[in-house]
Amino acid sequence: MQSNSAKDDSDEMEIISSEHNGTVHDTKNEDSGDIHRAEENQKSNIDPNLYLYDDDLATRPHISTFISSIANYENTIPAATDPDAKPPAPSARMGTLIGVFLPCIQNIFGVILFIRLTWVVGTAGAICGFLIVLTCCCVTMLTAISMSAIATNGVVPAGGSYFMISRSLGPEFGGAVGMLFYTGTTLAAAMYIVGAVEIVLTYMAPWASIFGDFTKDADAMYNNFRVYGTILLIFMGLIVFVGVKFVNKFATVALACVIFSIIAVYVGIFDNIHGNEKLYMCVLGKRLLKDIPIDNCTKDDSFMRDIYCPNNKCDDYYLNNNVSKVKGIKGLASGVFYDNVFPSFLEKGQFISYGHDSVDIENIGNESYNQIMADITTTFTLLIGIFFPSVTGIMAGSNRSGDLADAQKSIPIGTICAILTTSTVYLSSVLFFAGTVDNLLLRDKFGQSIGGKLVVANIAWPNQWVILIGSFLSTLGAGLQSLTGAPRLLQAIARDEIIPFLAPFAKSSKRGEPTRALLLTIVICQCGILLGNVDLLAPLLSMFFLMCYGFVNLACAVQTLLRTPNWRPRFKYYHWSLSLIGLTLCISVMIMTSWYFALLAMGMAVVIYKYIEYRGAEKEWGDGIRGMALTAARFSLLRLEEGPPHTKNWRPQILVLSKLNDNFLPKYRKIFSFATQLKAGKGLTICVSVLKGDHTKIANKAVDAKSTLRKYMIDEKVKGFCDILVAQQIGEGLSSVIQTIGLGGMKPNTVIIGWPYSWRQEGRNSWRTFIQTVRTVDACHMALMVPKGINFYPESNHKIGGNIDIWWIVHDGGLLMLLPFLLKQHRTWRNCKLRIFTVAQIEDNSIQMKKDLKTFLYHLRIEADVEVVEMNNSDISAYTYERTLMMEQRNQMLRALGLNKKENSKVESHNDEKRNSIDSDGPEETDAPETTSSKDESTEKADSKFKSNVKPDEFNVRRMHTAIKLNEVIVEKSQDAQLVIMNLPGPPREVRAERESNYMEFLEVLTEGLEKVLMVRGGGREVITIYS
């Protein structure tokens, strides 16, 4: 880097105004040399090409520093760790197939597929069964679309739906739904355990019953399920407690069993296309019988007569109907599908029979003999509730987001593909089962008519044990996964400290296991097992999952409708209407399935919500409810008063400082158009103008000016408020407006002020007002936007194409990234492409810097071309010295000659004779100033004196060098851009006229040759985030 030695500034003068005589005195600044030497020592390491931004680099890092600091961020929430513990091994980075698709497949396919789907098809018929499965799949697909939008809106730490809802809708909703999701997962473990016991006792080892023949007594069957379920729960709880590694390894085995079992079923369906002779049922008239050996299935057999004719008194139905043998597996070629098209819903206690004739289905007498009866009343909605758990498990991918190589890509693709795959299997299974199996056998829930065999197992190839063993192991694996995941979810909720009474469950054992949460989970799971019936557990846990899915859809709809600037999902195939349809479906299915279970789940959510609200969860996660408060009234204002909005809710609340001309008309009309185009952020806009004078004397003019300002806002479709302030001094009036405008949380955070195009001609007052405003905005920690060339900006009803170029020199909160995104939401800029340029310093690795910047933009969900500009560390040119000397000579001549405003304008016109000029409402396009030979005698003498005695100040030379070099690069790259957005360098810290005038000159040089420029200065806080 070039050596920047300190200059002795003892010749530098300072302006001291004398208010009594109006003259200007020149004095020596005795301390200036020491000040400059200190500055030079502190800033000797600054790249000469960036010296103009040296005052900002202490608090606003250079882009290379910022990018390198966030390039290797962690996309998980940091958990409480033991300082003495060994660092954990880095987690494996999984792809879409292993990390999302297969876990979702494993969690979606469950016990219902094997032990209840055939019964659902037989009871509901092919048409209604298809609609039941389709409805459930639509709920999960719409939820997956909403979840994909949320999961790709930044980095989602592990936590699945709980994290997404709590960070989108707030801690109250998050805590309530998190507890519902935890309860649902725990009850799912109970259902899997009861299902596994049912498979073993009913189809594999019926001899193990400890309560007698359960085929004749349903209560005995459920008591068996309760006892064996409790034993199995204790065994599985010990496995989870002792060895989680075993659970994870067993998951692979369970997944293989599921996939192989489904393949075996499909192969068996086509292998038995013409049916098989394995299964025959005994049918009396149209009623299905059980416990009848097929060889005794004849009316003449004494076995049948002994059953139906006790004491030589025969049953009337037995006397009036014949007994027949019916093949159970008829095959696709048989045409049995047409017998299974329509539903056969029954009430509890009715006989399973062909048709709907009351003679066949009603139990007129008190004896049922060995005829199979419906054990529950079936309806379309009840079957939805029973089947729905078989489509849950879609959150498995998002729960593993911390272990995914690219979560924003893998979660949508893997989850949606898994849902499409499982939905295809379910829907095709409905049609295949209806076309293969006899109607009576489909409706025989426990296979009692075929000797207690599982219908699906007898369809499969090569034999039934493939399905029995496979379904048992897969169900066992799903139960272990639930028992493993539920305690960790409870621990995550407890660690968030939003539900105080859960605090004890936040602690882990020495091995890092959530032991306390596991014990509570086992207790709740045992309560579910005591129900003893899959048909009761399934609708109950469906309520909790439906509530959870409903809130995922609600979160997506709220974020989309609010149009929060941080809502930038990489997944584009979503819409708020789809989310609302998904929410409506969830609520409808809940109420239709079981209104009392629905009320139970909703009541539980309301109680937890009010409890969290009452205890005051002091959490700020940038949720959508807090964002909605920005548009609400008193209640929301009070909530917003609690503190500044979260980074995710930050949006530009704009204060437009509009300058009025002599006719009290806004001087720059297009500044309102620009504010409108930024309103994609749905923020608040306040337009204010300051009049100089005494309010008591010009109150009427102020009213007229406000009406005019309002008219301009209406014409340009600016939604907001306007006001006029009358003050003795314009600068003081602007300072008062910036400090006091707004109410509570509705205070503006962004100021738009026009560029003082005629600052040279009007003397120092105009640029002094401008710089004073910049300083005030900076002191109030507000963002500042200075559009230069405002008259060339597009109208709001125009559409333009081209590039929006962002020159990102220093990081000041990410406002430079957010503004072009907001502009592109407006139709005027929608067709423009973003290009981001940043400057590499000498020691920077520009290739790595470009790679890191692309990664950063990817996680910001912003699409833009990236270019890292390498600026050569060239020597300061003679032109730079000449330009700096001209600037200093101008200041010195003005000071020495004591010129007033009129003379100032005269000298300015001589010095800038060859500058391009436009009307007073437009910007100036300035070229390098040239000296002229048409100076008057006194000016000529002063000029010759300064030329001989004064050298350019090194302090100014460096800044001029930065301005010229950056301008050359920017003009070369972005001259044809529709808009150039760049960092606005900070104003000089010293309140000295020469420094302030030089600052304005630097900005003019920096933006020369550019038609439309937006200079931006952040407010010192982050306004954009990579997190969801």
Side-chain angles (χ1 to χ4, degrees):
M1 294 182 64
Q2 183 173 313
S3 174
N4 299 323
S5 60
K7 288 286 292 180
D8 183 4
D9 289 345
S10 59
D11 294 332
E12 188 174 271
M13 303 297 182
E14 108 182 305
I15 297 177
I16 300 179
S17 300
S18 175
E19 296 182 358
H20 349 297
N21 52 21
T23 61
V24 179
H25 300 283
D26 295 344
T27 62
K28 296 280 187 180
N29 184 358
E30 298 177 357
D31 298 328
S32 61
D34 294 335
I35 293 173
H36 278 221
R37 289 187 189 96
E39 289 177 344
E40 297 299 328
N41 290 334
Q42 292 173 0
K43 299 167 183 175
S44 59
N45 294 325
I46 297 175
D47 193 320
N49 294 320
L50 301 177
Y51 203 81
L52 185 59
Y53 294 92
D54 61 354
D55 288 335
D56 292 334
L57 291 177
T59 56
R60 302 162 190 253
H62 180 255
I63 294 308
S64 61
T65 306
F66 172 73
I67 290 297
S68 63
S69 68
I70 57 92
N72 297 316
Y73 63 88
E74 290 294 330
N75 59 343
T76 56
I77 296 178
T81 56
D82 183 358
D84 299 326
K86 295 181 180 180
S91 59
R93 293 294 175 179
M94 296 181 288
T96 303
L97 181 65
I98 302 298
V100 180
F101 180 78
L102 291 179
C104 285
I105 289 288
Q106 180 186 359
N107 281 267
I108 293 173
F109 284 134
V111 66
I112 301 295
L113 169 65
F114 299 108
I115 67 175
R116 287 294 183 272
L117 185 56
T118 52
W119 173 71
V120 169
V121 173
T123 303
I127 296 177
C128 289
F130 193 88
L131 290 177
I132 287 170
V133 175
L134 184 62
T135 301
C136 296
C137 293
C138 284
V139 170
T140 53
M141 178 57 76
L142 292 172
T143 303
I145 291 173
S146 299
M147 184 191 72
S148 297
I150 297 174
T152 59
N153 186 50
V155 179
V156 178
S161 59
Y162 165 67
F163 178 88
M164 289 186 289
I165 293 170
S166 62
R167 271 58 174 180
S168 297
L169 293 179
E172 295 89 354
F173 279 106
V177 179
M179 288 303 298
L180 291 176
F181 191 50
Y182 163 75
T183 307
T185 305
T186 304
L187 291 178
M191 185 190 73
Y192 290 132
I193 291 173
V194 173
V197 172
E198 180 178 320
I199 291 173
V200 172
L201 283 183
T202 307
Y203 308 114
M204 297 173 68
W207 48 265
S209 174
I210 57 179
F211 291 96
D213 187 0
F214 57 82
T215 61
K216 295 181 171 60
D217 184 2
D219 291 335
M221 177 173 63
Y222 297 140
N223 286 333
N224 277 299
F225 293 168
R226 293 181 182 106
V227 173
Y228 282 107
T230 302
I231 296 172
L232 185 58
L233 171 64
I234 295 172
F235 176 71
M236 292 170 66
L238 289 174
I239 291 177
V240 173
F241 175 76
V242 174
V244 177
K245 292 182 179 179
F246 172 77
V247 176
N248 294 330
K249 291 179 180 179
F250 188 76
T252 306
V253 177
L255 175 62
C257 290
V258 169
I259 295 175
F260 189 75
S261 297
I262 292 173
I263 293 174
V265 171
Y266 274 93
V267 172
I269 287 173
F270 289 99
D271 182 56
N272 296 311
I273 194 169
H274 296 291
N276 63 45
E277 304 298 324
K278 296 179 183 177
L279 300 178
Y280 276 91
M281 304 174 294
C282 188
V283 178
L284 173 61
K286 295 183 178 181
R287 295 177 182 176
L288 183 63
L289 305 181
K290 63 180 178 181
D291 300 332
I292 303 292
I294 201 64
D295 294 334
N296 301 114
C297 186
T298 171
K299 202 170 183 179
D300 298 329
D301 193 277
S302 60
F303 185 85
M304 290 283 293
R305 180 174 292 276
D306 291 341
I307 293 174
Y308 285 94
C309 298
N311 302 321
N312 295 323
K313 186 178 181 181
C314 295
D315 180 72
D316 292 338
Y317 192 84
Y318 173 76
L319 293 175
N320 298 329
N321 293 276
N322 293 322
V323 176
S324 59
K325 300 177 183 178
V326 178
K327 183 189 294 186
I329 309 298
K330 295 185 175 181
L332 291 173
S334 66
V336 72
F337 178 84
Y338 300 104
D339 298 331
N340 292 321
V341 170
F342 299 106
S344 302
F345 299 121
L346 296 176
E347 294 182 6
K348 183 177 180 179
Q350 291 183 330
F351 293 121
I352 296 176
S353 67
Y354 292 116
H356 302 280
D357 195 334
S358 61
V359 174
D360 297 314
I361 65 175
E362 294 293 342
N363 185 9
I364 301 175
N366 295 324
E367 291 293 333
S368 62
Y369 300 103
N370 61 348
Q371 300 164 99
I372 301 177
M373 304 170 66
D375 60 336
I376 60 172
T377 299
T378 52
T379 61
F380 180 83
T381 54
L382 176 68
L383 294 182
I384 290 180
I386 292 175
F387 178 76
F388 188 79
S390 63
V391 296
T392 60
I394 62 174
M395 302 290 183
S398 63
N399 290 341
R400 300 180 178 215
S401 57
D403 298 324
L404 299 175
D406 188 351
Q408 296 190 17
K409 175 184 177 183
S410 297
I411 289 176
I413 295 176
T415 304
I416 292 176
C417 287
I419 292 175
L420 289 175
T421 302
T422 54
S423 298
T424 302
V425 170
Y426 283 138
L427 291 171
S428 61
S429 296
V430 170
L431 301 179
F432 283 140
F433 290 161
T436 302
V437 185
D438 184 82
N439 179 259
L440 292 181
L441 183 56
L442 285 175
R443 294 157 64 191
D444 185 4
K445 184 188 294 184
F446 300 108
Q448 294 172 319
S449 62
I450 53 175
K453 296 179 181 179
L454 185 62
V455 176
V456 175
N458 284 272
I459 297 176
W461 177 90
N463 59 57
Q464 63 174 346
W465 288 100
V466 172
I467 299 299
L468 292 176
I469 296 175
S471 61
F472 173 74
L473 292 178
S474 65
T475 303
L476 206 62
L480 285 171
Q481 289 290 333
S482 297
L483 284 178
T484 304
R488 282 159 175 75
L489 176 58
L490 180 64
Q491 186 182 49
I493 299 171
R495 283 182 173 176
D496 272 342
E497 298 178 353
I498 58 175
I499 304 178
F501 68 78
L502 291 180
F505 300 102
K507 296 183 179 180
S508 300
S509 66
K510 293 181 180 179
R511 296 183 295 111
E513 295 297 322
T515 305
R516 296 183 180 182
L518 176 61
L519 291 175
L520 179 62
T521 302
I522 290 175
V523 170
I524 298 175
C525 187
Q526 176 61 30
C527 294
I529 290 174
L530 291 178
L531 290 176
N533 190 346
V534 170
D535 298 331
L536 289 178
L537 278 168
L540 180 59
L541 70 92
S542 293
M543 297 301 120
F544 297 106
F545 282 116
L546 283 166
M547 284 281 288
C548 183
Y549 294 168
F551 277 106
V552 169
N553 286 298
L554 177 62
C556 181
V558 167
Q559 298 279 28
T560 305
L561 291 173
L562 284 178
R563 297 184 184 178
T564 310
N566 187 66
W567 181 246
R568 303 182 303 276
R570 188 167 295 280
F571 180 77
K572 301 298 182 183
Y573 306 102
Y574 72 97
H575 193 268
W576 61 266
S577 60
L578 293 177
S579 299
L580 288 182
I581 293 172
L583 174 61
T584 304
L585 268 177
C586 289
I587 296 175
S588 301
V589 170
M590 285 178 64
I591 296 174
M592 289 190 304
T593 301
S594 177
W595 62 267
Y596 43 90
F597 280 163
L599 289 179
L600 175 65
M602 291 179 180
M604 180 178 171
V606 169
V607 169
I608 297 174
Y609 178 94
K610 298 305 292 184
Y611 174 76
I612 296 173
E613 187 180 54
Y614 171 74
R615 292 302 299 261
E618 297 179 358
K619 294 291 178 182
E620 176 54 65
W621 290 325
D623 51 84
I625 297 300
R626 296 295 191 271
M628 192 182 296
L630 296 171
T631 58
R634 175 181 176 276
F635 177 70
S636 297
L637 279 173
L638 293 175
R639 294 186 72 185
L640 289 173
E641 194 69 45
E642 295 174 2
H646 190 276
T647 300
K648 293 188 291 183
N649 279 333
W650 192 95
R651 63 196 75 193
Q653 313 282 13
I654 299 173
L655 170 62
V656 179
L657 299 177
S658 176
K659 186 176 182 180
L660 303 181
N661 60 20
D662 296 337
N663 296 322
F664 301 107
L665 298 175
K667 193 172 183 181
Y668 306 116
R669 181 181 57 82
K670 286 190 177 179
I671 204 169
F672 299 101
S673 303
F674 178 66
T676 299
Q677 292 157 18
L678 277 174
K679 289 295 290 182
K682 291 291 183 183
L684 177 70
T685 299
I686 302 177
C687 299
V688 178
S689 294
V690 178
L691 296 181
K692 185 176 181 180
D694 187 346
H695 185 265
T696 59
K697 297 179 180 179
I698 61 171
N700 292 334
K701 293 181 179 179
V703 173
D704 294 340
K706 183 174 181 179
S707 299
T708 304
L709 200 60
R710 166 57 63 185
K711 181 178 183 301
Y712 271 68
M713 291 178 66
I714 294 173
D715 291 344
E716 296 299 329
K717 299 180 180 178
V718 180
K719 297 187 182 300
F721 309 97
C722 67
D723 210 345
I724 299 291
L725 177 70
V726 180
Q728 295 294 337
Q729 297 294 331
I730 298 294
E732 290 300 322
L734 291 173
S735 178
S736 299
V737 168
I738 294 169
Q739 293 179 62
T740 61
I741 198 73
L743 178 64
M746 303 295 279
K747 290 180 69 68
N749 54 30
T750 305
V751 177
I752 299 179
I753 185 172
W755 174 257
Y757 298 106
S758 52
W759 65 273
R760 291 190 178 95
Q761 286 79 13
E762 294 183 6
R764 66 188 183 197
N765 285 336
S766 82
W767 50 260
R768 272 190 167 175
T769 301
F770 175 78
I771 294 179
Q772 180 185 355
T773 304
V774 174
R775 287 190 175 118
T776 303
V777 171
D778 199 40
C780 293
H781 302 291
M782 300 167 72
L784 177 66
M785 287 184 277
V786 183
K788 193 167 184 282
I790 189 65
N791 282 347
F792 297 119
Y793 278 50
E795 301 277 359
S796 294
N797 57 357
H798 291 172
K799 289 185 179 181
I800 60 174
N803 296 317
I804 298 177
D805 287 357
I806 301 104
W807 284 85
W808 199 17
I809 310 300
V810 294
H811 176 71
D812 55 358
L815 189 58
L816 262 70
M817 302 291 102
L818 185 61
L819 287 178
F821 170 79
L822 295 180
L823 285 174
K824 278 177 62 66
Q825 304 310 300
H826 195 275
R827 66 191 190 97
T828 299
W829 302 91
R830 189 165 295 154
N831 296 327
C832 292
K833 294 182 178 179
L834 299 185
R835 298 192 302 180
I836 297 178
F837 298 87
T838 190
V839 177
Q841 299 185 75
I842 298 171
E843 66 275 11
D844 292 333
N845 182 339
S846 57
I847 297 176
Q848 184 63 37
M849 189 175 170
K850 182 175 182 179
K851 180 181 177 182
D852 292 342
L853 185 53
K854 284 184 174 180
T855 302
F856 180 59
L857 292 175
Y858 177 81
H859 290 297
L860 286 177
R861 294 88 66 201
I862 292 177
E863 296 180 2
D865 296 329
V866 175
E867 183 171 344
V868 177
V869 178
E870 297 179 346
M871 293 178 63
N872 296 325
N873 190 12
S874 59
D875 294 333
I876 298 175
S877 64
Y879 171 71
T880 301
Y881 279 103
E882 180 184 355
R883 186 88 184 239
T884 308
L885 185 60
M886 292 297 302
M887 177 182 68
E888 293 182 353
Q889 285 176 353
R890 172 182 175 275
N891 291 334
Q892 293 173 7
M893 283 188 294
L894 290 178
R895 187 171 63 246
L897 298 175
L899 296 178
N900 57 26
K901 287 187 178 182
K902 183 176 180 181
E903 291 168 327
N904 187 353
S905 300
K906 181 179 178 182
V907 173
E908 185 62 45
S909 64
H910 285 307
N911 286 340
D912 299 311
E913 186 179 26
K914 294 186 178 182
R915 293 182 188 273
N916 295 326
S917 62
I918 61 174
D919 60 74
S920 60
D921 281 359
E924 299 171 342
E925 295 182 2
T926 59
D927 296 322
E930 298 181 7
T931 58
T932 65
S933 59
S934 58
K935 298 180 179 179
D936 56 35
E937 188 175 348
S938 60
T939 305
E940 220 169 69
K941 290 178 182 178
D943 191 23
S944 63
K945 176 183 175 181
F946 289 122
K947 278 186 178 180
S948 61
N949 297 331
V950 180
K951 291 183 179 180
D953 178 12
E954 192 70 20
F955 187 81
N956 293 329
V957 169
R958 291 180 178 182
R959 282 163 170 73
M960 184 63 77
H961 177 71
T962 297
I964 291 174
K965 294 295 291 181
L966 278 176
N967 176 258
E968 289 176 356
V969 175
I970 294 173
V971 170
E972 177 187 352
K973 301 284 187 180
S974 304
Q975 190 169 20
D976 297 329
Q978 292 292 349
L979 180 64
V980 176
I981 304 176
M982 66 174 67
N983 293 107
L984 173 68
R989 296 177 183 176
E990 301 173 65
V991 185
R992 300 171 57 191
E994 287 145 334
R995 288 290 176 88
E996 292 175 347
S997 177
N998 294 344
Y999 173 73
M1000 299 298 293
E1001 189 68 36
F1002 296 144
L1003 296 184
E1004 286 283 8
V1005 173
L1006 183 64
T1007 56
E1008 272 183 355
L1010 299 173
E1011 187 177 64
K1012 297 184 285 264
V1013 181
L1014 179 64
M1015 290 179 282
V1016 178
R1017 186 167 177 78
R1021 61 161 297 170
E1022 294 294 329
V1023 301
I1024 196 168
T1025 176
I1026 62 175
Y1027 289 100
S1028 171

